[in-house]
Amino acid sequence: MYESAARAQEVPALDVADLDVRNRRAKVRRKGGAVDVIVWRAATARLLPRLLDGRRVGPVFLTDRRARVQLPPGDLDPVSGKARVSYRRAAELFETITAQLTGGPWTLHQLRHSALTHAAEDGANTFTLLAYSGHTSVASLARYARVSPEALARRQEGRDPAARRR
């Protein structure tokens, strides 16, 4: 989720068929129903085959046991019978694990916020941030991309003509 800056609801909704593993991207349904593409880096690309374990259909993210209630066929892995993990369960697991590992807890939404802030601090322009986040409005993007004073100072330092002459 961090690498793609996707909304927390978009990633659990992914199906194996939505993935283009070779090109490190996937089709997601954005807020409002628009279909868009998210991308990820090498670390995720290395982990995905282990997560999929040879599966070619069904949800990408599964629960750890078979579904106990009747679900739509699209929310089940046809081989194992395991269900698509819900946003609520993914959020619960993430908060529990981050609390244990980092003293958190962190939320799935904080991953998106951090990804967009770090991209802005690394110099991504507004159009790149809009595409990365799936936002259609600069106003809605503004609350996510909060650049720290330290990042602003680093940027100014790198652009200072006097520093380049040294």
Side-chain angles (χ1 to χ4, degrees), residues 1 7-9 12 85-92 107-109:
M1 286 187 182
R7 288 178 178 89
Q9 297 86 347
V85 72
S86 68
Y87 166 78
R88 193 181 94 233
R89 181 65 178 144
E92 180 182 282
T107 66
L108 292 174
H109 186 73

Side-chain angles (χ1 to χ4, degrees), residues 15 57-59 70-78 82-84:
D15 288 325
V57 296
Q70 181 132 11
L71 295 170
D75 286 338
L76 291 172
D77 174 39
K82 293 179 180 180
R84 177 185 312 277

Side-chain angles (χ1 to χ4, degrees), residues 18-144:
D18 298 328
L19 303 178
D20 179 354
V21 177
R22 174 175 281 145
N23 293 309
R24 300 182 189 170
R25 61 188 67 194
K27 290 180 186 174
V28 294
R29 185 151 310 272
R30 295 281 192 188
K31 194 172 172 179
V35 175
D36 203 355
V37 173
I38 59 171
V39 297
W40 56 83
R41 295 186 292 224
T44 299
R46 281 192 302 272
L47 291 173
L48 264 177
R50 291 172 47 192
L51 175 68
L52 298 176
D53 194 27
R55 291 183 293 124
R56 300 217 183 273
V57 296
V60 172
F61 298 96
L62 299 172
T63 58
D64 57 351
R65 62 178 179 237
R66 292 181 60 85
R68 293 183 299 194
V69 297
Q70 181 132 11
L71 295 170
D75 286 338
L76 291 172
D77 174 39
V79 175
S80 70
K82 293 179 180 180
R84 177 185 312 277
V85 72
S86 68
Y87 166 78
R88 193 181 94 233
R89 181 65 178 144
E92 180 182 282
L93 289 169
F94 186 73
E95 289 174 23
T96 300
I97 290 167
T98 56
Q100 293 169 356
L101 296 176
T102 67
W106 285 52
T107 66
L108 292 174
H109 186 73
Q110 284 173 303
L111 290 174
R112 176 175 168 81
H113 183 100
S114 295
L116 293 170
T117 298
H118 293 152
E121 288 180 343
D122 289 343
N125 65 37
T126 302
F127 298 109
T128 301
L129 291 172
L130 285 169
Y132 189 40
S133 67
H135 284 104
T136 56
S137 161
V138 174
S140 60
L141 175 66
R143 71 178 200 219
Y144 291 97

